[in-house]
Amino acid sequence: MLHLRGATLPPWPLTADMWNYIPPGVWWLCLALLGAWSTDTGAFHIGKAFGIRVHPLLPRISPGKNIEGLIGGTIFATVTCLLIGSLLLHLPWYLCLLLGIILGPCSLAGDLSESLIKREAHAKDSGTIMPGHGGILDRCDSILFGVIIVYTFMLIIG
């Protein structure tokens, strides 16, 4: 399976050069996951600190989301894309900036789509495995669109 991903095995014992043996696909996956999760984190903290009931985003779908959270999530996603994309994938900074600006709202769209599904089903949470967190689907809803965006971006830039 490692050959399918283009990986080579690192030398043993592991040294500082082991980072050269990690295939780029792993870093792209890290970029997608951490970018989506940082969007959630930024939207939550910035939205809670600056936007409580000030500028609601889509109150009929998710009353707690606001425009300040959207901006904060996009900023967090952009910083994450700049760090991972430029340092680990060696992408130009302007492409990382563009990806972050696109990834933030798309990750929030995944969150909103899952909230819409819960609203239509008249359910507060999507499961009981993680009480207080809204269920497993709430933990991975921003990844739904985020991974697609990063994958498409990766195909476009080659």
Side-chain angles (χ1 to χ4, degrees):
M1 289 185 65
L2 286 174
H3 294 291
L4 292 175
R5 291 178 45 203
T8 55
L9 294 173
W12 193 261
L14 298 177
T15 62
D17 286 342
M18 71 181 200
W19 296 106
N20 296 330
Y21 293 94
I22 296 176
V26 172
W27 297 126
W28 281 106
L29 182 62
C30 287
L31 177 68
L33 295 176
L34 293 174
W37 291 333
S38 66
T39 301
D40 279 349
T41 303
F44 175 77
H45 289 297
I46 301 298
K48 191 170 184 143
F50 297 108
I52 299 284
R53 308 264 183 230
V54 177
H55 300 104
L57 188 61
L58 294 169
R60 294 187 70 202
I61 295 174
S62 186
K65 299 214 179 359
N66 50 45
I67 297 192
E68 291 81 4
L70 171 65
I71 294 168
T74 302
I75 290 170
F76 274 51
T78 303
V79 169
T80 302
C81 288
L82 281 168
L83 290 174
I84 294 175
S86 61
L87 295 177
L88 299 175
L89 288 168
H90 309 292
L91 297 173
W93 66 270
Y94 53 87
L95 289 178
C96 300
L97 184 72
L98 177 65
L99 179 60
I101 291 170
I102 295 170
L103 182 61
C106 288
S107 294
L108 188 63
D111 195 359
L112 287 169
S113 66
E114 193 265 339
S115 294
L116 182 62
I117 292 169
K118 287 193 312 188
R119 286 254 177 242
E120 291 297 318
H122 303 291
K124 182 181 181 310
D125 293 335
S126 60
T128 58
I129 293 176
M130 299 173 67
H133 289 272
I136 295 291
L137 191 55
D138 258 349
R139 295 297 95 212
C140 60
D141 52 8
S142 61
I143 299 169
L144 294 174
F145 296 153
V147 170
I148 296 169
I149 293 300
V150 172
Y151 179 73
T152 305
F153 186 81
M154 180 187 72
L155 291 178
I156 289 171
I157 68 166

